[in-house]
Amino acid sequence: MTAPPAPLSAYVSRRGVRFVVVALILISSVQLLNVQSPALAPTAWIGQRLRPYLEPEPDSLSRSPHLAHDAYLANPAQPVRFTHVEYADCDGWDPATTAAHDPPGCLRARQYRQIQAWYADPKWPHEAETYRAVRQLERCVLGLKVCPTRPLIASSWWYTFRGMRGGVSGEEYWMSEVVEAVQEDDFIIITDFRAARMNQLVKDLSELLHMYWMRDANAFECIQDPRCIRPEDYTPVDDPTIGYDLAALTEAGDIGVLPMHRIFAVSYWGARPVNAPAPGLNAAYDWGVVPQPGGDEVWSYNPLGRRWVITPFPYPDHTWIPYSAERECLQTPYIPFEERNSSVVILAKETKYFHYPVATDLLPAWPALADDLAALGHSFVSTSTISEGQPLPVGVEMVGRQARPAYQHLLAGAKALLGIGHPEISPSPYVALCKGTPVIMPYNRNVSSPTGWSKYNAHYVQHGPINELSEPYVYTYDIHNATDLRDKMIRAIQTPIEPYVPPEYDEKSVKVQTRKMLYYDYEGEYRRRVDANGGRPPALPTEQVQRCWERKHCFNTSYPDNVQH
């Protein structure tokens, strides 16, 4: 176990000489500082006096502890921060005393006691980053740091963990930007991809929790598990073959504490209807979603709705925080049109993409298309890996898989990026546009501008959101018509563009959308849903819970062994 840093409780314990000395000095210096002792809890007032010596003074908008939620949302782009020197019902609270002396209803006191209990028994070995984060939480509670009321954002999603440690995949880079935006609003993030370990920490620090981000399956599992979710939000499944022994769990004291409205799934693909499958996600097969007439089934990993699913693309009704390529693409220089290498990069990770049913009409046309490009001094380039029995088409040059910086440089030097139907959606087109490289994307079924979930369905279109942009940035072609592809490709490689970042995918949008998520009234929405449901929280459908167990997303095992990532 990593040795934890000394908790701040060392400075505020009843016997802590330093606390007493600092308190006496500050109290005796009120007139010297030309202030009057405010009607705050003792340690809150001490926190105010100590803050200038501990960290830079926050901006003027940070000084009021009473910023209204509605006023904040009225201008979400404004970097307003809340300060926490006042808590309702905490007058007279003194952390130097025991919990028996805490004012009833004082949230800060409950938060502080949870932190001290966690220090005494963290139950799991944790990394040094976790101990440092908990110490920051303690500073928040003691009024020594500007923080929201519930400052903890917890995440057990693998890509959050990797993104905070310099991972370079698309999901990891997305999460690194989201984490940075969250931290700019003074929230504290703790992440551990071992779900059981993270679940226990969140349970121990539940009074500090604002949001818990989890892998989609883990979020679903938590909501149907009475060891994770609080009793008032738990609905047993009417199926004796699955579930939990509530009496035994209650007797053992192993009952959950997490409110349903603080549990969020983070998903690259979202909670999709049956007719819009994604790689590894078929709503009917994987999650027991019953197909409905019209094919737009509304379901979610959290029964409160899709708003509790966080995604990098604007899927219908989800919480969308955009993937922005802006900062990443600026790390390599823009290459002027006349200095480029006359290549057309094909967007495909594996050669099997050329052989997928949606792309088979193009297979016999690749040699002729390559000849047409060669006549203009251009060539096709692929970064695919070879799939067994599915070779690269004749006329396409293989350059092999590229590390992320090399791939960025490849796009910066190309004349165009060409999609052939898969992957369904990808950050690469945004990177290409930011490099000043036009994008050529296919559509299917004679539908060039699909709407709703069809926009995210590879049977209709590849990368629907970017196809909404027009020429000369994005060219669309009928994937069954090689002549259409040739015409659009020639137009693209002969028409220079400047670097372009769609406004909704720039860095500012990441921060604005993150702030909207952080300050949305999820608890109020939860209460409205409960009232509309006759006083009971909505429940996961029985058939979906059954499928969760059948597909082994859900486990009836002891928590320490239930480690998924």
Side-chain angles (χ1 to χ4, degrees):
M1 179 186 294
T2 305
L8 289 177
S9 55
Y11 299 93
V12 296
S13 68
R14 189 175 183 85
R15 300 172 183 174
V17 175
R18 299 181 196 182
F19 175 83
V20 174
V21 171
V22 170
L24 290 175
I25 291 173
L26 288 171
I27 292 171
S28 63
S29 304
V30 168
Q31 296 303 320
L32 179 62
L33 291 172
N34 194 28
V35 296
Q36 292 185 346
S37 178
L40 300 178
T43 52
W45 179 75
I46 290 170
Q48 279 191 318
R49 302 280 67 76
L50 284 176
R51 185 179 292 111
Y53 305 99
L54 294 171
E55 59 187 16
E57 179 70 9
D59 58 66
S60 60
L61 288 172
S62 303
R63 295 170 186 156
S64 169
H66 302 297
L67 293 169
H69 173 75
D70 291 342
Y72 188 91
L73 288 181
N75 188 7
Q78 179 66 39
V80 175
R81 295 180 176 87
F82 293 163
T83 186
H84 273 262
V85 295
E86 291 184 1
Y87 279 64
D89 303 318
C90 287
D91 287 347
W93 175 60
D94 185 351
T97 63
T98 64
H101 295 86
D102 292 344
C106 178
L107 173 61
R108 184 164 56 164
R110 298 197 302 273
Q111 293 173 333
Y112 179 76
R113 303 304 174 190
Q114 281 195 338
I115 290 171
Q116 303 316 305
W118 184 86
Y119 275 134
D121 182 16
K123 298 183 178 66
W124 286 87
H126 290 282
E127 298 186 15
E129 290 89 343
T130 299
Y131 286 105
R132 283 195 287 268
V134 173
R135 182 164 186 178
Q136 291 303 304
L137 291 172
E138 190 177 25
R139 286 169 58 83
C140 293
V141 172
L142 292 174
L144 302 178
K145 179 178 173 61
V146 177
C147 302
T149 304
R150 294 181 183 269
L152 173 59
I153 304 287
S155 177
S156 61
W157 200 43
W158 165 254
Y159 296 109
T160 313
F161 179 85
R162 289 288 304 137
M164 291 182 68
R165 288 157 177 79
V168 295
S169 74
E171 294 93 335
E172 291 162 354
Y173 192 83
W174 172 54
M175 273 287 102
S176 70
E177 286 199 320
V178 174
V179 165
E180 181 178 310
V182 165
Q183 290 173 331
E184 286 184 4
D185 265 57
D186 296 310
F187 285 90
I188 310 298
I189 286 195
I190 299 179
T191 179
D192 192 323
F193 66 89
R194 291 152 291 208
R197 186 173 306 196
M198 200 70 227
N199 287 352
Q200 185 63 58
L201 183 144
V202 168
K203 189 174 184 178
D204 292 342
L205 302 179
S206 60
E207 294 286 2
L208 295 110
L209 182 69
H210 183 63
M211 302 174 77
Y212 187 9
W213 303 345
M214 311 170 78
R215 184 173 70 106
D216 46 21
N218 290 128
F220 188 102
E221 180 191 18
C222 175
I223 288 170
Q224 64 85 53
D225 188 339
R227 299 166 300 177
C228 186
I229 197 166
R230 65 184 181 182
E232 57 263 44
D233 289 338
Y234 174 66
T235 301
V237 179
D238 188 19
D239 184 340
T241 65
I242 62 176
Y244 303 84
D245 187 339
L246 285 177
L249 291 175
T250 302
E251 184 176 352
D254 192 10
I255 294 297
V257 298
L258 296 185
M260 184 184 290
H261 63 272
R262 300 197 185 278
I263 298 170
F264 293 78
V266 189
S267 173
Y268 194 79
W269 300 109
R272 294 168 167 253
V274 174
N275 68 354
L281 174 59
N282 181 295
Y285 175 72
D286 291 305
W287 291 102
V289 176
V290 179
Q292 301 295 321
D296 190 12
E297 301 82 12
V298 177
W299 69 285
S300 177
Y301 303 102
N302 186 318
L304 292 172
R306 289 172 173 166
R307 187 182 287 275
W308 276 261
V309 183
I310 305 168
T311 63
F313 300 106
Y315 302 132
D317 304 322
H318 289 59
T319 289
W320 170 46
I321 302 179
Y323 177 104
S324 175
E326 184 176 23
R327 182 188 306 180
E328 185 182 22
C329 94
L330 293 176
Q331 294 174 1
T332 53
Y334 167 69
I335 300 176
F337 181 80
E338 60 274 8
E339 298 177 16
R340 299 192 172 213
N341 58 28
S342 299
S343 65
V344 174
V345 178
I346 298 176
L347 178 61
K349 291 182 179 180
E350 302 176 66
T351 57
K352 67 181 181 181
Y353 290 2
F354 291 90
H355 299 265
Y356 278 0
V358 70
T360 51
D361 285 349
L362 292 179
L363 271 177
W366 284 109
L369 289 169
D371 289 343
D372 291 338
L373 273 185
L376 297 171
H378 291 65
S379 61
F380 287 120
V381 168
S382 173
T383 61
S384 303
T385 56
I386 300 295
S387 306
E388 185 177 355
Q390 297 174 308
L392 196 67
V394 174
V396 179
E397 177 188 353
M398 172 68 77
V399 298
R401 292 296 295 274
Q402 305 285 300
R404 197 171 184 87
Y407 185 67
Q408 292 243 347
H409 186 75
L410 181 68
L411 289 178
K415 287 291 182 66
L417 175 68
L418 171 62
I420 57 172
H422 283 80
E424 286 90 337
I425 199 164
S426 165
S428 294
Y430 295 109
V431 177
L433 290 178
C434 189
K435 296 294 185 186
T437 302
V439 174
I440 310 164
M441 284 288 159
Y443 61 86
N444 191 19
R445 300 184 182 182
N446 295 318
V447 181
S448 59
S449 300
T451 59
W453 275 104
S454 296
K455 188 190 304 183
Y456 307 98
N457 188 338
H459 295 298
Y460 287 91
V461 67
Q462 183 179 12
H463 210 308
I466 211 163
N467 279 7
E468 294 178 340
L469 298 176
S470 57
E471 300 181 15
Y473 300 105
V474 177
Y475 298 78
T476 59
Y477 72 95
D478 184 344
I479 200 166
H480 305 293
N481 188 332
T483 301
D484 189 28
L485 169 56
R486 177 190 179 279
D487 293 344
K488 302 294 177 57
M489 189 165 53
I490 291 174
R491 288 220 300 270
I493 64 177
Q494 293 180 341
T495 308
I497 65 170
E498 293 296 316
Y500 177 69
V501 178
E504 62 271 27
Y505 286 91
D506 63 14
E507 277 199 82
K508 179 181 178 181
S509 292
V510 174
K511 299 180 188 304
V512 169
Q513 292 299 116
T514 300
R515 193 164 287 123
K516 286 181 179 178
M517 173 190 71
L518 291 173
Y519 292 102
Y520 182 78
D521 186 10
Y522 291 102
E523 184 170 3
E525 183 72 14
Y526 161 83
R527 295 187 186 285
R528 288 189 289 274
R529 301 289 178 90
V530 170
D531 291 343
N533 197 42
R536 283 290 304 166
L540 294 165
T542 298
E543 59 271 14
Q544 290 183 28
V545 177
Q546 290 171 329
R547 186 59 56 89
C548 183
W549 286 68
E550 291 170 10
R551 298 282 294 141
K552 299 189 184 303
H553 300 310
C554 299
F555 294 80
N556 189 3
T557 59
S558 61
Y559 238 32
D561 297 328
N562 183 12
V563 181
Q564 303 178 55
H565 46 80

